[in-house]
Amino acid sequence: MSSQHAIVPVPEEVGLLYDRLTAMDTEEVGGSLHLGYWESEDSDMPLTEAADLLTDMMADRLRLTAGARVIDVGCGLGQPAMRIAQRADVQVTGVSISRDQVARATKLAEVHGLSDRVEFQHADAMRLPFADNSFDAALAIESIFHMPDREQVFREIQRVLRPGGRLVLTDFFERAPIPADKKTAVDRCLRDFIMTLADPDDYLPMLRRAGLRCVEFLDITEQSVRPTFERMAQAGNEDLDPIFEEEADKKFSPADMVDVDEFGSLLLTARKPA
Ligand SMILES: C[S@@+](CC[C@H](N)C(=O)[O-])C[C@H]1O[C@@H](n2cnc3c(N)ncnc32)[C@H](O)[C@@H]1O
């Protein structure tokens, strides 16, 4: 289904993209680098709070107990890891392909007095530098779509999870074939953020092949994608302009994405069999 979008992300290039994004002032997004979640259409919750709400919904699905070891695959600036470490009294190890993000997240953890609860390291999720069965739970918030092979990442997460451990992730998927008049907007988004849309028909078979079992598969597009793009469009995206190299009228534009209902977001909970 997604074969029309021919990009295969190269992890090193994704790392350099996030190094550039890290140089931006991210105060206004509250440190989270993911979409928000709004329970109702008329909610006026700001994006920063809605992003934290999505983190909390995901953390709840991990069913964490105090002292658990959690891996955050594609940890960004560490905001979700720090929030979860505090809320659930757990230890979180975040990995990112961006060296600048790891440095910034490490600094932020120091500033917030959380260095004993969270740690960040540079690593490629395609080859996680951890022993088998070393984590109780795994989180991947809007990161797997930047990786060249989802199934390989699932295999790696399955390997480092202990039996019975849970994985919770969000991912973008092609909800329906992208109509011709929306393809340019979608292709710009995928190209500028170096990502791919998952094929929903292959999602559960791919998980199974990697040794994971689906617990819950939720389509959160209406609560997440559209309201985030609407808010981004209202705010303007001048901050992003220097990040992407294309000419101004050929770059990703949130306003062009608002009505692309085919660009979906999924929230998945899976489990490594005991
Ligand atoms: C959209 S950001 C999400 C960050 C964070 N999960 C959050 O919600 O704030 C995507 C993250 O995935 C990371 N990432 C992308 N490809 C990766 C890879 N191959 N290995 C490790 N991290 C990767 C990026 O460095 C970045 O931290």
Side-chain angles (χ1 to χ4, degrees), residues 41-150:
E41 245 177 65
D42 47 12
S43 168
D44 58 2
M45 185 182 270
L47 178 55
T48 51
E49 277 174 48
D52 282 341
L53 175 59
L54 182 59
T55 302
D56 294 348
M57 287 173 56
M58 296 178 72
D60 290 346
R61 284 167 166 75
L62 289 174
R63 300 214 182 137
L64 298 170
T65 52
R69 283 201 71 201
V70 182
I71 180 168
D72 183 1
V73 180
C75 61
L77 298 172
Q79 162 72 8
M82 289 189 280
R83 187 170 174 88
I84 291 170
Q86 281 180 300
R87 277 181 92 234
D89 192 16
V90 294
Q91 300 283 329
V92 186
T93 300
V95 298
S96 168
I97 196 71
S98 157
R99 291 180 192 279
D100 290 0
Q101 279 189 333
V102 170
R104 179 99 172 253
T106 303
K107 187 85 205 146
L108 286 169
E110 273 169 36
V111 169
H112 294 298
L114 287 168
S115 302
D116 57 335
R117 314 272 282 282
V118 297
E119 59 179 6
F120 301 101
Q121 77 183 67
H122 175 259
D124 185 348
M126 300 283 289
R127 292 181 308 275
L128 289 170
F130 304 108
D132 297 359
N133 308 323
S134 47
F135 293 97
D136 301 299
L139 183 73
I141 312 181
E142 290 175 25
S143 57
I144 196 163
F145 47 62
H146 289 303
M147 301 176 192
D149 181 351
R150 285 175 172 82

Side-chain angles (χ1 to χ4, degrees), residues 111-252:
V111 169
H112 294 298
L114 287 168
S115 302
D116 57 335
R117 314 272 282 282
V118 297
E119 59 179 6
F120 301 101
Q121 77 183 67
H122 175 259
D124 185 348
M126 300 283 289
R127 292 181 308 275
L128 289 170
F130 304 108
D132 297 359
N133 308 323
S134 47
F135 293 97
D136 301 299
L139 183 73
I141 312 181
E142 290 175 25
S143 57
I144 196 163
F145 47 62
H146 289 303
M147 301 176 192
D149 181 351
R150 285 175 172 82
E151 191 170 326
Q152 167 63 13
V153 180
F154 288 150
R155 274 197 294 270
E156 277 296 89
I157 291 174
Q158 191 271 1
R159 183 181 65 73
V160 302
L161 266 184
R162 66 158 173 78
R166 283 181 163 221
L167 160 68
V168 176
L169 64 79
T170 45
D171 195 357
F172 294 148
F173 73 106
E174 196 166 346
R175 232 174 155 209
I178 311 285
D181 61 333
K182 298 178 182 172
K183 198 172 174 306
T184 302
V186 172
D187 282 348
R188 285 177 182 173
C189 179
L190 298 177
R191 178 202 59 202
D192 285 355
F193 286 105
I194 318 180
M195 60 190 194
T196 61
L197 291 178
D199 176 351
D201 297 336
D202 192 37
Y203 221 86
L204 302 190
M206 187 168 59
L207 265 185
R208 264 199 305 277
R209 289 195 295 271
L212 294 165
R213 299 286 175 272
C214 178
V215 173
E216 182 186 44
F217 184 103
L218 279 180
D219 179 342
I220 60 167
T221 310
E222 306 296 337
Q223 296 82 6
S224 185
V225 180
R226 174 186 281 269
T228 301
F229 282 136
E230 273 170 2
R231 282 162 177 80
M232 285 175 74
Q234 275 158 18
N237 65 328
E238 293 80 15
D239 283 359
L240 286 173
D241 280 353
I243 304 296
F244 305 127
E245 281 151 12
E246 285 73 26
E247 292 158 47
D249 61 344
K250 297 200 175 78
K251 292 181 205 231
F252 156 75

